[in-house]
Amino acid sequence: MKNARIRWHILVFLAPAVLVYTAIMIIPLFNTLRLSLYTEVGQERVFAGLENFRTLFGDPRWSASFWNALANNFWFFIIHMLVQNPIGILLAAILSHPSLRFATLYRTAIFVPTILSFVIVGFAWKLILSPIWGIAPEMMDAVGLGDFYQPWLGLEETSLTTLALISVWQFVGIPMMLIYAALLTIPDEILEAGECDGVTGLAAFWKIKLPLILPSIGIISILTFVGNFNAFDLIYAAQGALAGPNFSTDILGTFMYRTFFGFQLQLGDPHMGSAIASAMFAIILIGVCIYLFGIQTRMRRYQF
Amino acid sequence: MSMKKLTASLLATTILTTAASAQDVTLTIESWRNDDLVLWQDVIIPAFEAENPGISIEFSPSAPAEYNAVLNSKLDAGSAGDLITCRPFDASLALYEAGHLQDLSDLDAMENFSDVAQSAWQTDDGSATFCVPMASVIHGFIYNADAFEEVGVDLPETVDEFFAVLDAFQEDGSYIPMAMGTNDQWEAATMGYQNIGPNYWGGEEGRLALIAGEQSLTDEPWVEPYRQLARWGDYLGRGHQAQTYPDSQNLFTLGRAAIYPAGSWEISGFNNLADFEMGAFPPPVPNAGDECYISDHTDIAIGMNANTEHPEETRIFLEWVGSEEFATIYSNALPGFFSLSDFDIAQEDPLAQEFVSWRDQCDSTIRSTYQILSRGTPNLENDTWNASAQVIRGTETPEEAAARLQEGLASWYEPQQ
């Protein structure tokens, strides 16, 4: 008898999250997927099946834009993985060193850019690097490197990397905080046991701490992946929707925005835009699945 | 009891406010001209409200680059304002065809506008006009007169003279010869290609021939402007690749650059900022004595949201926009936006006078990519931005750029196939 009673409190506690999440995430998501299967003929919306995807991948112009955006997106992600996360881990390792003074100050200072708006970060860095008013050319002149100054944000070869590094500067606080928290949970007994066996200093980091924080690094990688493939704001704030120069900073987010909402004389095409959004969703889904099933399940966990 | 009282009083206030708002209508204007906010609020709107008690106007602009996207979303959601500022040609035509803009052909004020003025806001067959034309903008070059005097150069009339002037400034070294960046791309196309181009393709003649498919973008008249642009790169400031539009405006108004490839819309902003003498010259012609052409682009109009709740009041406002009074107020409040109406309007601003005087010496045309040719994908206007910036940067040759544009246009535009 008692077991059959409906446990209302579960429903009550779940309801707000389920309702809000459904209304603002799940319904729009499926609506976008549905929209990508339609097209507009005259003023009518008609079902077109996979026609939009055929255009996106089959038409030489559309597919060139798409692959360009995807390749740029991968480069953006690789820079984050190679620069942001190792630096984050390094900073966390240094910060968690017991003899470091002013650790709280450094931690706060490094984390502050994370809470700044993309618009502020984009604008501030544009000014810093500006060839006309920026402090970068003068600072480099002052140390005798003036000849190496380039208008990095304006050159096809360097603009994407520059933007990726700006984004790294902004977000390096997040892996640092997560790893820092993970490092703090490692019990001192383990490290002390290691010391008795002669594992100290750098060796202790490589052999004891790093294996213990691997799950956190995995989480950070997947957060970076999702964040980078959904990125849009910084590029839009710094380079505008045309993602110049010559589309060298065009990532999937800006490509989708331009297509969906239109740009200047080009009218918006919500159906092609949804097709791109669906492709982005698929890419992220595949990436997350590879991580969840391929990597996370094989990761060893330690119980203290 | 007290609950009932509260409800009653709430109801009463609701009814009262509704009654009040029935007499006092507020119309909202959607616009991309956020630079003009103060002028609308301080000059234009008070003038209208003084004559039309009971109608108040709210000017609610969004950022130019986002305007089309924002407006389309608002219209689809039914939350757009009563009055819609119209972009020329297809952007507005699409809104009309989607039923968002009202046909205004029967508006009395339409008689005050020539067919050419109306053409940017008409259906292709000219049967319906859906926006009241407000203003056009003229392209040319604004120069720092003090700098010209200091370096001792005269106004250039031909292309050779133009480059001689640039060389003189380059040699002198105290001024950046020309203030333009290639970061935002559109200046390269709008103030570069569309500015000097009409002299090569012969204004309307070339533009219409391109639409008809009799000329192509790889023909000499359409490639030559790119060759000119390719030469500009040397005269722009250091790091022009990362120089944005506001950077260029500031460089010029701070007196650090000699020449600014301009649109007349810059005049009011520059008047407020520059503390040196400014002048303007039209795009130089290839050879002395050549017929000159200027881009006198139908740029801005205003229409009526088809779903407005106050159609009558909106029409009253639109009639006023088509009147001589509005034309005079607008042209003088915003020097550089030249009224498209047939009224003879006295310009007070000397720089604006200079720009508008070119209409007497040169033939007017509009930007080549705006009518019909930017209807498809790839979009010719957006591609022209990219190509012009690339050519000035030197990362694409004029011939390659022209070939790429032609290929893109021919891929969807039948007369060019």
Side-chain angles (χ1 to χ4, degrees):
Chain A
M1 270 305 275
K2 218 177 176 186
N3 283 347
R5 227 179 65 201
I6 302 170
R7 295 191 202 164
W8 287 108
H9 63 277
I10 296 182
L11 283 180
V12 169
F13 283 123
L14 275 180
V18 169
L19 287 179
V20 170
Y21 195 70
T22 310
I24 68 171
M25 296 291 288
I26 298 180
I27 294 178
L29 174 65
F30 281 95
N31 222 355
T32 307
L33 295 180
R34 189 180 64 87
L35 203 56
S36 68
L37 301 178
Y38 287 79
T39 189
E40 201 171 89
V41 177
Q43 299 292 329
E44 300 276 306
R45 176 174 292 172
V46 293
F47 185 77
L50 295 175
E51 196 53 47
N52 289 336
F53 292 94
R54 195 171 301 148
T55 312
L56 184 60
F57 297 110
D59 182 276
R61 272 187 197 81
W62 280 100
S63 65
S65 301
F66 179 80
W67 295 119
N68 171 49
L70 187 65
N72 287 342
N73 229 150
F74 265 107
W75 181 243
F76 199 67
F77 171 61
I78 288 168
I79 297 265
H80 278 80
M81 286 302 283
L82 291 183
V83 181
Q84 173 187 287
N85 297 348
I87 291 182
I89 296 167
L90 180 74
L91 288 171
I94 296 172
L95 283 177
S96 66
H97 201 276
S99 59
L100 182 77
R101 295 173 69 195
F102 309 120
T104 334
L105 175 74
Y106 297 137
R107 209 173 57 204
T108 316
I110 295 169
F111 195 72
V112 161
T114 309
I115 56 174
L116 291 178
S117 142
F118 283 102
V119 181
I120 296 173
V121 172
F123 187 66
W125 275 98
K126 254 178 107 162
L127 274 184
I128 292 171
L129 297 175
S130 162
I132 301 156
W133 336 100
I135 53 164
E138 267 128 63
M139 279 173 74
M140 291 182 64
D141 266 339
V143 292
L145 291 173
D147 292 342
F148 290 95
Y149 173 79
Q150 294 284 323
W152 288 293
L153 279 175
L155 298 177
E156 263 183 68
E157 308 81 50
T158 53
S159 54
L160 183 64
T161 312
T162 310
L163 281 168
L165 291 175
I166 293 172
S167 171
V168 165
W169 171 85
Q170 185 181 8
F171 286 115
V172 74
I174 293 200
M176 180 192 78
M177 284 306 216
L178 287 171
I179 300 287
Y180 181 67
L183 284 172
L184 289 186
T185 60
I186 299 174
D188 286 340
E189 297 87 66
I190 296 184
L191 295 172
E192 281 159 16
E195 272 175 43
C196 292
D197 291 333
V199 184
T200 54
L202 263 185
F205 177 78
W206 287 111
K207 295 196 169 144
I208 304 174
K209 290 180 180 170
L210 195 63
L212 289 175
I213 58 170
L214 263 186
S216 299
I217 293 176
I219 290 290
I220 288 162
S221 308
I222 204 67
L223 284 179
T224 312
F225 177 77
V226 175
N228 285 168
F229 277 84
N230 276 326
F232 162 75
D233 329 47
L234 181 67
I235 310 265
Y236 183 72
Q239 306 288 62
L242 272 189
N246 196 23
F247 301 107
S248 61
T249 55
D250 198 23
I251 57 173
L252 291 169
T254 46
F255 180 45
M256 195 273 287
Y257 175 87
R258 242 189 359 259
T259 311
F260 196 104
F261 294 104
F263 186 75
Q264 191 66 8
L265 294 193
Q266 183 189 322
L267 298 173
D269 182 347
H271 307 103
M272 278 309 285
S274 299
I276 299 169
S278 303
M280 285 168 73
F281 176 67
I283 291 164
I284 294 173
L285 194 67
I286 292 168
V288 173
C289 285
I290 291 175
Y291 170 76
L292 283 181
F293 300 112
I295 299 174
Q296 203 186 33
T297 47
R298 285 187 206 159
M299 216 174 262
R300 290 186 63 184
R301 273 161 207 290
Y302 302 88
Q303 294 262 320
F304 306 125
Chain B
M1 269 311 270
S2 70
M3 194 63 183
K4 259 187 191 164
K5 257 187 196 162
L6 184 69
T7 324
S9 61
L10 275 178
L11 263 177
T13 38
T14 325
I15 292 163
L16 276 177
T17 27
T18 345
S21 66
Q23 288 168 358
D24 215 19
V25 172
T26 300
L27 303 177
T28 309
I29 303 178
E30 301 284 349
S31 175
W32 69 89
R33 291 294 310 165
N34 47 8
D35 290 354
D36 305 345
L37 182 62
V38 178
L39 294 166
W40 276 90
Q41 280 173 346
D42 293 354
V43 184
I44 300 172
I45 293 175
F48 174 77
E49 286 176 351
E51 284 169 38
N52 298 277
I55 308 179
S56 47
I57 306 286
E58 196 186 323
F59 185 69
S60 112
S62 39
E66 278 134 43
Y67 177 71
N68 296 16
V70 171
L71 179 66
N72 282 326
S73 317
K74 277 186 175 175
L75 285 168
D76 287 337
S79 61
D82 310 275
L83 291 151
I84 312 283
T85 308
C86 304
R87 296 271 193 195
F89 298 108
D90 288 357
S92 294
L93 182 61
L95 294 181
Y96 173 73
E97 282 172 349
H100 291 312
L101 286 175
Q102 185 74 38
D103 182 0
L104 297 173
S105 313
D106 55 342
L107 213 63
D108 294 337
M110 281 298 177
E111 287 171 14
N112 305 332
F113 298 94
S114 67
D115 289 347
V116 178
Q118 291 183 30
S119 67
W121 298 282
Q122 274 178 338
T123 46
D124 285 354
D125 59 5
S127 62
T129 310
F130 39 82
C131 296
V132 182
M134 283 165 79
S136 71
V137 291
I138 298 177
H139 285 300
F141 295 83
I142 299 180
Y143 66 94
N144 181 335
D146 294 354
F148 268 56
E149 203 167 309
E150 198 184 312
V151 179
V153 284
D154 293 328
L155 288 190
E157 277 171 17
T158 63
V159 170
D160 290 339
E161 288 171 17
F162 179 68
F163 282 103
V165 167
L166 290 173
D167 282 329
F169 279 108
Q170 190 91 303
E171 222 158 274
D172 180 72
S174 41
Y175 294 93
I176 298 169
M178 190 150 52
M180 190 170 86
T182 50
N183 187 75
D184 296 353
Q185 305 183 26
W186 69 270
E187 306 108 287
T190 314
M191 279 108 109
Y193 191 69
Q194 301 289 1
N195 183 358
I196 59 171
N199 273 331
Y200 295 91
W201 61 70
E204 282 295 275
E205 202 188 316
R207 186 180 77 84
L208 295 172
L210 188 66
I211 293 174
E214 291 153 12
Q215 288 185 13
S216 76
L217 289 166
T218 46
D219 290 351
E220 205 49 23
W222 299 90
V223 184
E224 186 56 28
Y226 279 123
R227 293 204 190 100
Q228 298 294 326
L229 286 187
R231 293 172 66 187
W232 285 23
D234 299 338
Y235 301 102
L236 307 178
R238 180 191 182 200
H240 66 84
Q241 295 92 334
Q243 181 177 327
T244 61
Y245 173 52
D247 286 343
S248 313
Q249 290 178 310
N250 286 320
L251 271 185
F252 183 72
T253 51
L254 287 172
R256 284 173 58 180
I259 297 176
Y260 182 89
S264 57
W265 66 85
E266 307 278 12
I267 292 175
S268 56
F270 281 11
N271 280 342
N272 291 332
L273 292 170
D275 55 3
F276 49 84
E277 188 81 22
M278 281 184 296
F281 59 88
V285 290
N287 302 302
D290 279 0
E291 181 81 38
C292 65
Y293 297 88
I294 52 167
S295 165
D296 184 359
H297 188 67
T298 45
D299 187 54
I300 183 167
I302 190 161
M304 173 178 176
N305 183 345
N307 298 317
T308 172
E309 286 168 25
H310 311 291
E312 277 158 40
E313 289 82 359
T314 308
R315 286 182 78 92
I316 293 174
F317 182 76
L318 289 172
E319 291 284 6
W320 185 72
V321 169
S323 70
E324 182 166 7
E325 187 192 355
F326 176 84
T328 312
I329 295 174
Y330 189 78
S331 317
N332 282 307
L334 287 171
F337 285 86
F338 303 108
S339 175
L340 285 164
S341 61
D342 299 335
F343 306 114
D344 194 15
I345 289 151
Q347 286 280 343
E348 285 157 21
D349 185 89
L351 204 52
Q353 271 173 6
E354 176 64 38
F355 268 95
V356 83
S357 72
W358 302 337
R359 279 183 178 167
D360 301 332
Q361 314 152 16
C362 307
D363 285 337
S364 295
T365 180
I366 60 171
R367 293 181 200 151
S368 61
T369 49
Y370 271 60
Q371 193 176 25
I372 301 173
L373 297 180
S374 286
R375 244 169 227 186
T377 311
N379 187 283
L380 183 63
E381 168 73 0
N382 291 2
D383 277 2
T384 303
W385 291 18
N386 181 285
S388 309
Q390 293 271 83
V391 166
I392 295 180
R393 286 156 179 276
T395 44
E396 196 172 24
T397 67
E399 291 75 20
E400 281 165 9
R404 179 163 65 93
L405 293 181
Q406 176 63 24
E407 193 198 348
L409 179 63
S411 75
W412 61 269
Y413 187 58
E414 231 165 79
Q416 286 289 350
Q417 281 162 356

